[in-house]
PDB file of all heavy atoms in Angstrom:
ATOM      1  N   GLY A  86     -13.523  13.926 -11.385  1.00 94.00           N
ATOM      2  CA  GLY A  86     -12.088  13.757 -11.543  1.00 94.00           C
ATOM      3  C   GLY A  86     -11.685  12.319 -11.285  1.00 94.00           C
ATOM      4  O   GLY A  86     -11.987  11.429 -12.075  1.00 94.00           O
ATOM      5  N   LEU A  87     -11.032  12.085 -10.157  1.00 95.00           N
ATOM      6  CA  LEU A  87     -10.589  10.730  -9.815  1.00 95.00           C
ATOM      7  C   LEU A  87     -11.718   9.843  -9.309  1.00 95.00           C
ATOM      8  O   LEU A  87     -11.538   8.634  -9.147  1.00 95.00           O
ATOM      9  CB  LEU A  87      -9.478  10.784  -8.765  1.00 95.00           C
ATOM     10  CG  LEU A  87      -8.148  11.416  -9.189  1.00 95.00           C
ATOM     11  CD1 LEU A  87      -7.125  11.273  -8.069  1.00 95.00           C
ATOM     12  CD2 LEU A  87      -7.616  10.783 -10.459  1.00 95.00           C
ATOM     13  N   GLY A  88     -12.856  10.431  -9.022  1.00 96.00           N
ATOM     14  CA  GLY A  88     -13.997   9.638  -8.573  1.00 96.00           C
ATOM     15  C   GLY A  88     -13.975   9.292  -7.099  1.00 96.00           C
ATOM     16  O   GLY A  88     -14.645   8.345  -6.674  1.00 96.00           O
ATOM     17  N   LEU A  89     -13.216  10.054  -6.302  1.00 97.00           N
ATOM     18  CA  LEU A  89     -13.180   9.787  -4.867  1.00 97.00           C
ATOM     19  C   LEU A  89     -14.397  10.403  -4.182  1.00 97.00           C
ATOM     20  O   LEU A  89     -14.964  11.392  -4.648  1.00 97.00           O
ATOM     21  CB  LEU A  89     -11.909  10.376  -4.249  1.00 97.00           C
ATOM     22  CG  LEU A  89     -10.569   9.886  -4.791  1.00 97.00           C
ATOM     23  CD1 LEU A  89      -9.429  10.573  -4.051  1.00 97.00           C
ATOM     24  CD2 LEU A  89     -10.453   8.374  -4.672  1.00 97.00           C
ATOM     25  N   ARG A  90     -14.772   9.809  -3.078  1.00 97.00           N
ATOM     26  CA  ARG A  90     -15.770  10.429  -2.213  1.00 97.00           C
ATOM     27  C   ARG A  90     -15.112  11.634  -1.549  1.00 97.00           C
ATOM     28  O   ARG A  90     -13.970  11.554  -1.077  1.00 97.00           O
ATOM     29  CB  ARG A  90     -16.218   9.433  -1.152  1.00 97.00           C
ATOM     30  CG  ARG A  90     -17.131  10.045  -0.085  1.00 97.00           C
ATOM     31  CD  ARG A  90     -17.259   9.106   1.089  1.00 97.00           C
ATOM     32  NE  ARG A  90     -17.928   9.752   2.203  1.00 97.00           N
ATOM     33  CZ  ARG A  90     -17.749   9.407   3.473  1.00 97.00           C
ATOM     34  NH1 ARG A  90     -16.922   8.417   3.785  1.00 97.00           N
ATOM     35  NH2 ARG A  90     -18.405  10.025   4.433  1.00 97.00           N
ATOM     36  N   LEU A  91     -15.834  12.745  -1.510  1.00 98.00           N
ATOM     37  CA  LEU A  91     -15.301  13.961  -0.920  1.00 98.00           C
ATOM     38  C   LEU A  91     -15.995  14.270   0.402  1.00 98.00           C
ATOM     39  O   LEU A  91     -17.210  14.102   0.541  1.00 98.00           O
ATOM     40  CB  LEU A  91     -15.504  15.163  -1.848  1.00 98.00           C
ATOM     41  CG  LEU A  91     -14.789  15.164  -3.192  1.00 98.00           C
ATOM     42  CD1 LEU A  91     -15.134  16.448  -3.949  1.00 98.00           C
ATOM     43  CD2 LEU A  91     -13.283  15.028  -3.024  1.00 98.00           C
ATOM     44  N   THR A  92     -15.213  14.702   1.357  1.00 98.00           N
ATOM     45  CA  THR A  92     -15.747  15.295   2.570  1.00 98.00           C
ATOM     46  C   THR A  92     -14.785  16.409   2.964  1.00 98.00           C
ATOM     47  O   THR A  92     -13.719  16.562   2.366  1.00 98.00           O
ATOM     48  CB  THR A  92     -15.918  14.253   3.689  1.00 98.00           C
ATOM     49  OG1 THR A  92     -16.587  14.857   4.804  1.00 98.00           O
ATOM     50  CG2 THR A  92     -14.581  13.705   4.151  1.00 98.00           C
ATOM     51  N   GLY A  93     -15.173  17.211   3.941  1.00 97.00           N
ATOM     52  CA  GLY A  93     -14.309  18.342   4.271  1.00 97.00           C
ATOM     53  C   GLY A  93     -14.526  18.852   5.673  1.00 97.00           C
ATOM     54  O   GLY A  93     -15.545  18.570   6.311  1.00 97.00           O
ATOM     55  N   LEU A  94     -13.539  19.593   6.146  1.00 98.00           N
ATOM     56  CA  LEU A  94     -13.588  20.268   7.436  1.00 98.00           C
ATOM     57  C   LEU A  94     -13.206  21.716   7.199  1.00 98.00           C
ATOM     58  O   LEU A  94     -12.161  21.989   6.587  1.00 98.00           O
ATOM     59  CB  LEU A  94     -12.614  19.620   8.427  1.00 98.00           C
ATOM     60  CG  LEU A  94     -12.555  20.238   9.825  1.00 98.00           C
ATOM     61  CD1 LEU A  94     -13.813  19.884  10.617  1.00 98.00           C
ATOM     62  CD2 LEU A  94     -11.313  19.743  10.584  1.00 98.00           C
ATOM     63  N   CYS A  95     -14.047  22.648   7.653  1.00 97.00           N
ATOM     64  CA  CYS A  95     -13.750  24.053   7.384  1.00 97.00           C
ATOM     65  C   CYS A  95     -14.281  24.936   8.507  1.00 97.00           C
ATOM     66  O   CYS A  95     -14.995  24.476   9.404  1.00 97.00           O
ATOM     67  CB  CYS A  95     -14.342  24.487   6.047  1.00 97.00           C
ATOM     68  SG  CYS A  95     -16.151  24.533   6.009  1.00 97.00           S
ATOM     69  N   ASP A  96     -13.933  26.215   8.449  1.00 96.00           N
ATOM     70  CA  ASP A  96     -14.472  27.212   9.364  1.00 96.00           C
ATOM     71  C   ASP A  96     -15.813  27.690   8.820  1.00 96.00           C
ATOM     72  O   ASP A  96     -16.074  27.608   7.611  1.00 96.00           O
ATOM     73  CB  ASP A  96     -13.517  28.399   9.476  1.00 96.00           C
ATOM     74  CG  ASP A  96     -12.097  27.984   9.834  1.00 96.00           C
ATOM     75  OD1 ASP A  96     -11.920  26.857  10.345  1.00 96.00           O
ATOM     76  OD2 ASP A  96     -11.177  28.777   9.594  1.00 96.00           O
ATOM     77  N   ALA A  97     -16.657  28.228   9.688  1.00 96.00           N
ATOM     78  CA  ALA A  97     -17.997  28.646   9.276  1.00 96.00           C
ATOM     79  C   ALA A  97     -17.947  29.648   8.120  1.00 96.00           C
ATOM     80  O   ALA A  97     -18.759  29.580   7.197  1.00 96.00           O
ATOM     81  CB  ALA A  97     -18.741  29.243  10.471  1.00 96.00           C
ATOM     82  N   ARG A  98     -16.988  30.562   8.156  1.00 96.00           N
ATOM     83  CA  ARG A  98     -16.937  31.575   7.092  1.00 96.00           C
ATOM     84  C   ARG A  98     -16.542  30.982   5.740  1.00 96.00           C
ATOM     85  O   ARG A  98     -16.745  31.609   4.700  1.00 96.00           O
ATOM     86  CB  ARG A  98     -15.950  32.679   7.477  1.00 96.00           C
ATOM     87  CG  ARG A  98     -14.506  32.233   7.608  1.00 96.00           C
ATOM     88  CD  ARG A  98     -13.594  33.377   8.030  1.00 96.00           C
ATOM     89  NE  ARG A  98     -12.217  32.941   8.192  1.00 96.00           N
ATOM     90  CZ  ARG A  98     -11.728  32.428   9.315  1.00 96.00           C
ATOM     91  NH1 ARG A  98     -12.523  32.274  10.374  1.00 96.00           N
ATOM     92  NH2 ARG A  98     -10.463  32.051   9.404  1.00 96.00           N
ATOM     93  N   GLU A  99     -15.961  29.782   5.757  1.00 96.00           N
ATOM     94  CA  GLU A  99     -15.531  29.146   4.512  1.00 96.00           C
ATOM     95  C   GLU A  99     -16.580  28.194   3.950  1.00 96.00           C
ATOM     96  O   GLU A  99     -16.441  27.703   2.823  1.00 96.00           O
ATOM     97  CB  GLU A  99     -14.230  28.358   4.743  1.00 96.00           C
ATOM     98  CG  GLU A  99     -13.062  29.233   5.171  1.00 96.00           C
ATOM     99  CD  GLU A  99     -11.940  28.410   5.777  1.00 96.00           C
ATOM    100  OE1 GLU A  99     -12.164  27.198   6.025  1.00 96.00           O
ATOM    101  OE2 GLU A  99     -10.854  28.958   6.004  1.00 96.00           O
ATOM    102  N   ARG A 100     -17.646  27.933   4.689  1.00 96.00           N
ATOM    103  CA  ARG A 100     -18.650  26.951   4.264  1.00 96.00           C
ATOM    104  C   ARG A 100     -19.200  27.240   2.866  1.00 96.00           C
ATOM    105  O   ARG A 100     -19.357  26.298   2.061  1.00 96.00           O
ATOM    106  CB  ARG A 100     -19.777  26.895   5.288  1.00 96.00           C
ATOM    107  CG  ARG A 100     -20.920  25.920   4.927  1.00 96.00           C
ATOM    108  CD  ARG A 100     -20.407  24.489   4.941  1.00 96.00           C
ATOM    109  NE  ARG A 100     -21.398  23.539   4.451  1.00 96.00           N
ATOM    110  CZ  ARG A 100     -22.247  22.867   5.216  1.00 96.00           C
ATOM    111  NH1 ARG A 100     -22.251  23.053   6.525  1.00 96.00           N
ATOM    112  NH2 ARG A 100     -23.087  22.009   4.691  1.00 96.00           N
ATOM    113  N   PRO A 101     -19.507  28.496   2.516  1.00 96.00           N
ATOM    114  CA  PRO A 101     -20.045  28.731   1.171  1.00 96.00           C
ATOM    115  C   PRO A 101     -19.100  28.299   0.050  1.00 96.00           C
ATOM    116  O   PRO A 101     -19.554  27.811  -0.990  1.00 96.00           O
ATOM    117  CB  PRO A 101     -20.280  30.247   1.141  1.00 96.00           C
ATOM    118  CG  PRO A 101     -20.472  30.627   2.574  1.00 96.00           C
ATOM    119  CD  PRO A 101     -19.533  29.735   3.322  1.00 96.00           C
ATOM    120  N   TYR A 102     -17.783  28.467   0.241  1.00 97.00           N
ATOM    121  CA  TYR A 102     -16.822  28.035  -0.777  1.00 97.00           C
ATOM    122  C   TYR A 102     -16.895  26.521  -0.973  1.00 97.00           C
ATOM    123  O   TYR A 102     -16.871  26.019  -2.102  1.00 97.00           O
ATOM    124  CB  TYR A 102     -15.399  28.428  -0.384  1.00 97.00           C
ATOM    125  CG  TYR A 102     -15.181  29.904  -0.184  1.00 97.00           C
ATOM    126  CD1 TYR A 102     -14.730  30.397   1.030  1.00 97.00           C
ATOM    127  CD2 TYR A 102     -15.418  30.816  -1.205  1.00 97.00           C
ATOM    128  CE1 TYR A 102     -14.531  31.752   1.232  1.00 97.00           C
ATOM    129  CE2 TYR A 102     -15.215  32.172  -1.022  1.00 97.00           C
ATOM    130  CZ  TYR A 102     -14.774  32.633   0.207  1.00 97.00           C
ATOM    131  OH  TYR A 102     -14.576  33.969   0.396  1.00 97.00           O
ATOM    132  N   TYR A 103     -16.959  25.793   0.140  1.00 98.00           N
ATOM    133  CA  TYR A 103     -17.036  24.339   0.071  1.00 98.00           C
ATOM    134  C   TYR A 103     -18.333  23.890  -0.599  1.00 98.00           C
ATOM    135  O   TYR A 103     -18.327  22.993  -1.449  1.00 98.00           O
ATOM    136  CB  TYR A 103     -16.942  23.730   1.477  1.00 98.00           C
ATOM    137  CG  TYR A 103     -15.537  23.500   1.972  1.00 98.00           C
ATOM    138  CD1 TYR A 103     -14.704  24.559   2.315  1.00 98.00           C
ATOM    139  CD2 TYR A 103     -15.037  22.212   2.122  1.00 98.00           C
ATOM    140  CE1 TYR A 103     -13.419  24.343   2.784  1.00 98.00           C
ATOM    141  CE2 TYR A 103     -13.751  21.971   2.597  1.00 98.00           C
ATOM    142  CZ  TYR A 103     -12.944  23.052   2.927  1.00 98.00           C
ATOM    143  OH  TYR A 103     -11.663  22.840   3.384  1.00 98.00           O
ATOM    144  N   ASP A 104     -19.449  24.495  -0.196  1.00 97.00           N
ATOM    145  CA  ASP A 104     -20.735  24.086  -0.759  1.00 97.00           C
ATOM    146  C   ASP A 104     -20.766  24.284  -2.271  1.00 97.00           C
ATOM    147  O   ASP A 104     -21.215  23.400  -3.019  1.00 97.00           O
ATOM    148  CB  ASP A 104     -21.866  24.886  -0.105  1.00 97.00           C
ATOM    149  CG  ASP A 104     -22.166  24.424   1.317  1.00 97.00           C
ATOM    150  OD1 ASP A 104     -21.698  23.326   1.700  1.00 97.00           O
ATOM    151  OD2 ASP A 104     -22.872  25.154   2.037  1.00 97.00           O
ATOM    152  N   ARG A 105     -20.281  25.436  -2.728  1.00 97.00           N
ATOM    153  CA  ARG A 105     -20.272  25.696  -4.171  1.00 97.00           C
ATOM    154  C   ARG A 105     -19.327  24.752  -4.895  1.00 97.00           C
ATOM    155  O   ARG A 105     -19.651  24.229  -5.973  1.00 97.00           O
ATOM    156  CB  ARG A 105     -19.883  27.158  -4.437  1.00 97.00           C
ATOM    157  CG  ARG A 105     -20.953  28.163  -4.081  1.00 97.00           C
ATOM    158  CD  ARG A 105     -20.645  29.517  -4.684  1.00 97.00           C
ATOM    159  NE  ARG A 105     -19.446  30.113  -4.107  1.00 97.00           N
ATOM    160  CZ  ARG A 105     -19.450  30.911  -3.043  1.00 97.00           C
ATOM    161  NH1 ARG A 105     -20.599  31.202  -2.419  1.00 97.00           N
ATOM    162  NH2 ARG A 105     -18.338  31.434  -2.576  1.00 97.00           N
ATOM    163  N   ALA A 106     -18.157  24.518  -4.318  1.00 98.00           N
ATOM    164  CA  ALA A 106     -17.160  23.652  -4.965  1.00 98.00           C
ATOM    165  C   ALA A 106     -17.651  22.218  -5.047  1.00 98.00           C
ATOM    166  O   ALA A 106     -17.506  21.554  -6.084  1.00 98.00           O
ATOM    167  CB  ALA A 106     -15.843  23.716  -4.200  1.00 98.00           C
ATOM    168  N   PHE A 107     -18.243  21.716  -3.990  1.00 98.00           N
ATOM    169  CA  PHE A 107     -18.741  20.347  -3.993  1.00 98.00           C
ATOM    170  C   PHE A 107     -19.891  20.204  -4.988  1.00 98.00           C
ATOM    171  O   PHE A 107     -20.003  19.184  -5.682  1.00 98.00           O
ATOM    172  CB  PHE A 107     -19.183  19.928  -2.595  1.00 98.00           C
ATOM    173  CG  PHE A 107     -18.059  19.475  -1.694  1.00 98.00           C
ATOM    174  CD1 PHE A 107     -16.829  20.140  -1.671  1.00 98.00           C
ATOM    175  CD2 PHE A 107     -18.212  18.397  -0.850  1.00 98.00           C
ATOM    176  CE1 PHE A 107     -15.794  19.734  -0.837  1.00 98.00           C
ATOM    177  CE2 PHE A 107     -17.185  17.971  -0.009  1.00 98.00           C
ATOM    178  CZ  PHE A 107     -15.979  18.645  -0.008  1.00 98.00           C
ATOM    179  N   ALA A 108     -20.753  21.211  -5.045  1.00 97.00           N
ATOM    180  CA  ALA A 108     -21.870  21.151  -5.995  1.00 97.00           C
ATOM    181  C   ALA A 108     -21.363  21.122  -7.434  1.00 97.00           C
ATOM    182  O   ALA A 108     -21.843  20.335  -8.256  1.00 97.00           O
ATOM    183  CB  ALA A 108     -22.798  22.347  -5.780  1.00 97.00           C
ATOM    184  N   ARG A 109     -20.370  21.957  -7.743  1.00 97.00           N
ATOM    185  CA  ARG A 109     -19.810  21.976  -9.098  1.00 97.00           C
ATOM    186  C   ARG A 109     -19.132  20.655  -9.430  1.00 97.00           C
ATOM    187  O   ARG A 109     -19.113  20.232 -10.584  1.00 97.00           O
ATOM    188  CB  ARG A 109     -18.813  23.129  -9.256  1.00 97.00           C
ATOM    189  CG  ARG A 109     -19.451  24.501  -9.367  1.00 97.00           C
ATOM    190  CD  ARG A 109     -18.463  25.523  -9.917  1.00 97.00           C
ATOM    191  NE  ARG A 109     -17.285  25.652  -9.070  1.00 97.00           N
ATOM    192  CZ  ARG A 109     -17.166  26.510  -8.073  1.00 97.00           C
ATOM    193  NH1 ARG A 109     -18.167  27.332  -7.772  1.00 97.00           N
ATOM    194  NH2 ARG A 109     -16.069  26.568  -7.359  1.00 97.00           N
ATOM    195  N   ALA A 110     -18.564  20.011  -8.418  1.00 97.00           N
ATOM    196  CA  ALA A 110     -17.867  18.742  -8.631  1.00 97.00           C
ATOM    197  C   ALA A 110     -18.825  17.556  -8.663  1.00 97.00           C
ATOM    198  O   ALA A 110     -18.404  16.419  -8.876  1.00 97.00           O
ATOM    199  CB  ALA A 110     -16.817  18.536  -7.548  1.00 97.00           C
ATOM    200  N   GLY A 111     -20.111  17.812  -8.427  1.00 97.00           N
ATOM    201  CA  GLY A 111     -21.082  16.732  -8.431  1.00 97.00           C
ATOM    202  C   GLY A 111     -21.044  15.864  -7.195  1.00 97.00           C
ATOM    203  O   GLY A 111     -21.425  14.696  -7.226  1.00 97.00           O
ATOM    204  N   ALA A 112     -20.583  16.443  -6.065  1.00 97.00           N
ATOM    205  CA  ALA A 112     -20.457  15.691  -4.819  1.00 97.00           C
ATOM    206  C   ALA A 112     -21.427  16.226  -3.770  1.00 97.00           C
ATOM    207  O   ALA A 112     -21.714  17.417  -3.740  1.00 97.00           O
ATOM    208  CB  ALA A 112     -19.024  15.801  -4.283  1.00 97.00           C
ATOM    209  N   PRO A 113     -21.949  15.365  -2.903  1.00 95.00           N
ATOM    210  CA  PRO A 113     -22.792  15.831  -1.799  1.00 95.00           C
ATOM    211  C   PRO A 113     -22.008  16.782  -0.907  1.00 95.00           C
ATOM    212  O   PRO A 113     -20.796  16.641  -0.749  1.00 95.00           O
ATOM    213  CB  PRO A 113     -23.145  14.539  -1.045  1.00 95.00           C
ATOM    214  CG  PRO A 113     -22.915  13.446  -2.021  1.00 95.00           C
ATOM    215  CD  PRO A 113     -21.786  13.897  -2.902  1.00 95.00           C
ATOM    216  N   ALA A 114     -22.708  17.744  -0.328  1.00 92.00           N
ATOM    217  CA  ALA A 114     -22.048  18.737   0.532  1.00 92.00           C
ATOM    218  C   ALA A 114     -21.823  18.157   1.925  1.00 92.00           C
ATOM    219  O   ALA A 114     -22.439  18.578   2.905  1.00 92.00           O
ATOM    220  CB  ALA A 114     -22.888  20.005   0.603  1.00 92.00           C
ATOM    221  N   GLU A 115     -20.930  17.182   2.011  1.00 96.00           N
ATOM    222  CA  GLU A 115     -20.626  16.526   3.287  1.00 96.00           C
ATOM    223  C   GLU A 115     -19.453  17.259   3.934  1.00 96.00           C
ATOM    224  O   GLU A 115     -18.298  16.842   3.849  1.00 96.00           O
ATOM    225  CB  GLU A 115     -20.287  15.053   3.045  1.00 96.00           C
ATOM    226  CG  GLU A 115     -20.274  14.241   4.315  1.00 96.00           C
ATOM    227  CD  GLU A 115     -20.095  12.758   4.046  1.00 96.00           C
ATOM    228  OE1 GLU A 115     -19.531  12.392   2.997  1.00 96.00           O
ATOM    229  OE2 GLU A 115     -20.510  11.961   4.901  1.00 96.00           O
TER     230      GLU A 115
END
Side-chain angles (χ1 to χ4, degrees):
L87 294 185
L89 301 180
R90 173 194 170 206
L91 296 180
T92 187
L94 180 73
C95 68
D96 307 341
R98 64 182 178 273
E99 298 163 350
R100 178 66 187 266
Y102 301 121
Y103 274 71
D104 285 346
R105 288 194 294 269
F107 278 41
R109 286 196 300 269
E115 193 173 25

